[in-house]
Amino acid sequence: MTDPKAIENNPFKELGKIPELRFKQGYSVHSTYIPMRDGVKIAATICLPNGLLPNDKIPTVLIQTRYWRAMELRIPFRWVLDEVVTANPDPEITTGRGYAYIRTDVRGTGASFGIRRIPFSEEEVKDGADVVDWIISQSWSDGNVVSKGISYTGTTAEVFSTTHHPAIKAIIPGHGLWDSYTDVAYPGGCYDLAFMQMWSFLGRNLDLNNPKVFRQIMPSVWLFSKGVKPVDTDCDLKLFQDAIDKHKQNQYVHEHALDRNYRDEPLPEGTTYDDIIFNRKSRIEESNLPMLIWCSWYDSGYIDAAIHRFLNLSNPMMVILGDWNHGAGFPANQFFPKRVHVTPSPRERINAFMNFFDKCIYGKSIESKILYYYTLAEEKWKKTKIWPPKGHMYQRWYLSENFILSKKLPENDVGEDDYKINFRATTGRLNRWWTLLAQPIDYQPRTRMDEKLLCYTSQPFEKDTEITGQAIICLYLASSHEDGAIFVYFEDVDEQGNVTYITDGEFRVIHRKVSNEEPPYKILIPYHTYSKEDASPLIPGEIAELKFGLHTTSVFIRKDHRIRIAIAGADKDTFLRYPTDGRPTITISRNKTNSSYIDLPIIENKNNSQGV
Amino acid sequence: MEELYPTLKDMLKESIESKIDKPNLTIYLILKNQIKGNIAEPKEIIIMLKMFGGLREDIPIDIGIDNEIQRIALKFQTEANFNKIQEIMETIWENTVNMLIEVTKGNFNIINDIPDVDD
């Protein structure tokens, strides 16, 4: 069961009560092609509330997707459901609340024309403004457009703000990336092979309208759908076929990324990983659009992305960080693995989003920045106007002899632990990276997994302790090889010895140089450029300092629980193997001279973060 | 989308009326909702029977589709085939929804023995 306290206190309720529906008779659905400035036709599906009178004017919620705006349903579903059913209950609630609900296939995808070489290209972004021009020219439009989405559509909503179209009033980017290199493609410089390969495979087959492949990877979609929905007016499907043929020229991220290692290696159209979001920072800020940003502690590097938006964007914003999977389809709190429902429910969440849009269009919009976060294990929502929250301080824990994690600096002159990398180590396929494909999250059984790893465990905590922020680990490490990757899992161990995953960090050793340059955006961990110039292969046998951040979290370590860091050299079902050949032995120093440690972000005075 | 599943079975049962004409070895499916465009192609009916009804063989069915009155007629040459499909139709909507629920839970095995139905 979902924790009743969490239901009671969740911050989505801060956005107000759900008003009575303005339209109660369902909605109509039709589709059309919208011409862009360069002649490319963008497919759009438009849902309007039934009962809309000729003189009624309503705002629009726009969703720009690369995952099919609408589906051609198989029978019998086509006989009882509409083509936007997979977005349910979004269209129903949105139209009921008195908005038009429009979904477009971004250029090069679905039934839209155009060619796609990179995600979120400038042309794709400009299309958003052209679509808005079309929307506000419709007889039912009141001239206001808002946009939201989860993951890809969250990012299209965010970059939509850079068009500075005056009709756009607010955006809700949910579970979106900020730095495509570290948040998703190369977390810590390690290539997320599983996701990049799968996402590219999925994208190609979506773009070629080949639903067959979903039988293996997304069977519910395969059972439901015959493919993308052609546009209504395209009766002989000639346009549809032309559009799909064009998509054969599309390119996919895995093709560009696999044989590369560095952030500064160019992508097509003269772009880089930096151009997706954070290089657009000033343009997003110039829009001054109010934003509602939401994500989860367990979502890939996207949790750090949410924090980076809060730290770096001046836009008025509300940020909500919870304990669900990517997109909030499933609960993901590893302390409560038996929960079956997400809090809030999709219906409650969507209604809260509509309340946010209502505020921005009709009422008093938000004017400042506020962040709500859920502390795992404490099961409590809190709010803060600053990040890290007040009372934040680092507490240093040293890797010590007998595999102990201790607050006491090692006193011995000599002390080190060897670990031969186990390339069978894995967090499985229900981890924070696979969830980017909307998978649930399950890190169990950690106890068994830790047997393959190098673990350091603390003594039982003497008092309840909140850890909120990004831990930083510093390892003094020698290896038998020049290249390698280090995975550090941060875990809770209860009185019975049950181990619960909290967060992790991963890092490819060749990127270890901590740069003195100014980072391109504000970060709270050591800055690594991941550039070719700064690459520093290890010298076998020589001790090097490796210092990097773990993904942001908020967790409550209860009195008598212990904490553990578990160190691996591979996560075989997710990341590319480093080095490609050989099986390195690493040696971690834990002595007076080279004292490896982890800095934990403790919230010293709990009263500083207000409960919700 | 998953929140639809509890009501989907009833939606299917209420929106699709089956009529049996045993003397003429014909099963009619009459759609009560207003459907945009063609209600189905004959091939889609076979796919539906294979995907959701568990049909594993190719049996001759004369499929007549009347888009005007939204009626599909499945006519059989033998009583055995008629009985087979009649039996399938008795549970097909329940099977359809159960299959969706199972794959959503991660039980992909449930679709393993569906034959290749896509072009």
Side-chain angles (χ1 to χ4, degrees), chain A residues 31-46 64 102 104-107 111-114 123-138 165 231 233 239:
Chain A
S31 55
T32 191
Y33 275 120
I34 301 174
M36 300 292 104
R37 66 214 160 276
D38 57 358
V40 164
K41 291 190 253 315
I42 293 295
T45 291
I46 300 110
Q64 301 177 85
I102 298 186
T104 61
D105 289 322
V106 298
R107 75 169 50 209
S112 287
F113 284 75
E123 293 309 308
E124 184 181 321
V125 174
K126 285 178 193 163
D127 290 344
D130 290 355
V131 170
V132 173
D133 281 338
W134 181 87
I135 290 171
I136 61 175
S137 73
Q138 302 305 298
H165 198 297
V231 160
T233 47
L239 290 172

Side-chain angles (χ1 to χ4, degrees), chain A residues 447-459:
Chain A
T447 312
R448 207 167 65 205
M449 191 49 60
D450 283 355
E451 290 167 7
K452 291 181 181 167
L453 312 184
L454 177 60
C455 298
Y456 297 87
T457 309
S458 75
Q459 294 300 313

Side-chain angles (χ1 to χ4, degrees), chain B residues 11-26:
Chain B
M11 285 167 78
L12 290 166
K13 283 179 181 170
E14 285 164 18
S15 310
I16 307 160
E17 183 186 347
S18 293
K19 273 193 178 168
I20 307 296
D21 179 358
K22 192 156 188 181
N24 290 309
L25 300 181
T26 302

Side-chain angles (χ1 to χ4, degrees), chain B:
Chain B
M1 191 169 74
E2 290 80 358
E3 71 165 29
L4 273 175
Y5 295 169
T7 52
L8 186 54
K9 206 179 293 180
D10 287 338
M11 285 167 78
L12 290 166
K13 283 179 181 170
E14 285 164 18
S15 310
I16 307 160
E17 183 186 347
S18 293
K19 273 193 178 168
I20 307 296
D21 179 358
K22 192 156 188 181
N24 290 309
L25 300 181
T26 302
I27 298 170
Y28 294 102
L29 298 178
I30 300 152
L31 310 186
K32 294 179 184 171
N33 291 345
Q34 191 62 44
I35 310 295
K36 258 197 307 191
N38 291 348
I39 56 172
E41 297 297 326
K43 191 183 163 196
E44 289 183 291
I45 305 293
I46 302 295
I47 291 173
M48 177 182 79
L49 293 169
K50 289 186 172 176
M51 280 183 95
F52 305 115
L55 181 65
R56 295 290 173 265
E57 58 196 299
D58 289 321
I59 60 173
I61 313 177
D62 181 13
I63 301 174
I65 295 175
D66 187 331
N67 289 311
E68 270 310 294
I69 58 168
Q70 297 197 155
R71 191 180 72 176
I72 298 157
L74 311 178
K75 189 168 171 52
F76 303 89
Q77 289 159 7
T78 68
E79 190 168 347
N81 285 343
F82 171 84
N83 289 338
K84 199 172 286 171
I85 301 301
Q86 188 189 3
E87 198 178 321
I88 282 174
M89 292 310 299
E90 279 168 11
T91 55
I92 192 168
W93 310 138
E94 281 189 19
N95 290 348
T96 302
V97 177
N98 289 342
M99 206 176 273
L100 284 171
I101 291 169
E102 286 303 310
V103 296
T104 304
K105 281 197 281 190
N107 178 12
F108 294 4
N109 292 335
I110 197 156
I111 60 166
N112 278 356
D113 65 340
I114 296 176
D116 190 10
V117 294
D118 291 311
D119 291 327

